[in-house]
Amino acid sequence: HKMSKGITVKDVNSHEFVTSYAAHLKKQGKIQLPELVDLMKTGPFKELAPYNEDWLEAFGTIASLARRLYIRKGTGVGAFGKVYGDKKRRGTLPGHFCKASRGVIRGCLIQLEKVRFSSPHILRRTCGACSLHSLWQAGSREHSRCSSDGAVVEQIGVVSKCEKGGGREISLQGRQDCDRIATEVYNSKQ
């Protein structure tokens, strides 16, 4: 019999993955765009805000951030500003490199942190590291921290902050979700 291999984000075309993951995020409806999204530029090197009518470009930016965090964990907002930066045209003067808007990138990462998945395998336990009650996912070492009175503050999203070294990393649930989308993209090409 034929062995089935696990398909990851690294096995599929990045453009196809980002467009399908952006469509998945849009279909979920859990990502909230800012009120003035039609007026905000994505960097000082841009002349206008994105003019895609259904704002798939904004979801594409969020999906691209998730993919880049999948590939390289621990990347922070400043590094993403350099990655998404571009040349600023200055008329007759030579163009210079300019970073992308870190506020937009930070907002996208915060939205990815807030995305919640409903899972039937969530249990309440006591965390050994912080000795507080926390919400654990079965089979996962990741948890959401609770306040001292036991009220849950936040849940696991697609992205979480790195404990060591700063930056962000993709959570276990986010990694599984990305791998599932990558498998769908891979199977559609076969």
Side-chain angles (χ1 to χ4, degrees):
H1 82 76
K2 192 175 182 181
M3 291 278 288
S4 65
K5 76 175 200 177
I7 305 299
T8 64
V9 172
K10 296 178 182 182
D11 297 329
V12 296
N13 185 358
S14 62
H15 177 70
E16 293 170 0
F17 172 77
V18 167
T19 53
S20 61
Y21 192 56
H24 169 73
L25 289 174
K26 185 176 180 186
K27 186 176 75 172
Q28 263 188 335
K30 295 182 180 179
I31 301 284
Q32 295 175 348
L33 298 175
E35 295 175 6
L36 301 175
V37 75
D38 54 340
L39 302 175
M40 291 175 21
K41 298 193 306 181
T42 56
F45 53 88
K46 298 280 190 179
E47 290 185 16
L48 297 171
Y51 50 86
N52 192 344
E53 288 186 21
D54 61 353
W55 296 111
L56 193 61
E57 187 171 333
F59 288 103
T61 303
I62 294 172
S64 174
L65 284 168
R67 181 189 172 275
R68 285 190 176 269
L69 282 173
Y70 185 100
I71 304 287
R72 184 176 182 200
K73 73 175 188 174
T75 310
V77 174
F80 281 128
K82 292 176 198 163
V83 168
Y84 291 104
D86 203 357
K87 180 177 77 170
K88 181 173 183 172
R89 298 179 58 187
R90 305 186 313 155
T92 58
L93 299 173
H96 285 279
F97 179 79
C98 194
K99 291 181 181 178
S101 171
R102 270 89 67 208
V104 172
I105 292 171
R106 188 176 298 108
C108 292
L109 288 172
I110 288 171
Q111 286 297 317
L112 279 175
E113 286 178 14
K114 289 181 181 178
V115 172
R116 292 177 175 90
F117 294 94
S118 57
S119 175
H121 306 293
I122 293 181
L123 307 170
R124 209 175 222 344
R125 283 194 199 155
T126 303
C127 175
C130 61
S131 70
L132 295 173
H133 294 292
S134 36
L135 210 60
W136 285 63
Q137 226 175 343
S140 169
R141 282 189 262 168
E142 300 169 3
H143 65 281
S144 63
R145 305 229 181 239
C146 299
S147 61
S148 58
D149 61 350
V152 176
V153 175
E154 63 182 42
Q155 286 185 345
I156 303 168
V158 176
V159 172
S160 60
K161 290 188 178 180
C162 281
E163 301 271 333
K164 297 178 184 177
R168 305 278 203 305
E169 64 183 348
I170 197 154
S171 66
L172 178 68
Q173 183 67 39
R175 185 172 293 274
Q176 290 171 350
D177 199 37
C178 288
D179 286 340
R180 186 179 51 78
I181 300 284
T183 304
E184 290 174 8
V185 170
Y186 185 82
N187 290 337
S188 69
K189 296 297 277 183
Q190 296 298 326

